[in-house]
Amino acid sequence: MSTSPTRLPFSSGQMARLILAGVVFWFVGALICRWVGTIGAFDGANRALLYAALVPGTFPVILLVRRIAGLAADQVALGSAVVTAAAIACDGVALAMIPQLYGAGIEQTAASGAVILWGGAVAIAIGCWLNRVPAPR
């Protein structure tokens, strides 16, 4: 692995695992959005509860990604960004090409895309939080 500051600090295997994780977590997220939309999770105050639940729900995902990709403590923020980039790229393509994946109707599709974008932001924020330098003792 190169230590050059102009290169990403990941091996080819780590990059592949990060990108694959992003695709898998996006797809699972899209299917979850399809399901929760049918039970009213995007309606009224339920939407705020769904967004709030994504914060603690994303934490174990980032820990799992760290383990799957074999990331060091100082690679978690950047790894989270790579996973999120893969996920939102898939989301952008799917929203344009196969919106029915997210469920019936434009409202459900838009709400699902928004939740996935929020989840991506949460993933990056958690990755940055986990990557922070410990406070001196």
Side-chain angles (χ1 to χ4, degrees), residues 14-26 68 82-83 86:
Q14 285 176 309
M15 278 298 287
R17 290 189 300 268
L18 289 168
I19 292 168
L20 182 61
V23 172
V24 168
F25 287 123
W26 159 77
I68 288 169
V82 172
V83 169

Side-chain angles (χ1 to χ4, degrees), residues 10 71-82 123-124 126-132:
F10 303 123
L71 301 180
D74 65 346
Q75 294 177 309
V76 180
L78 189 54
S80 298
V82 172
I124 291 172
I126 290 171
C128 290
W129 183 76
L130 289 173
N131 206 134
R132 73 196 185 288

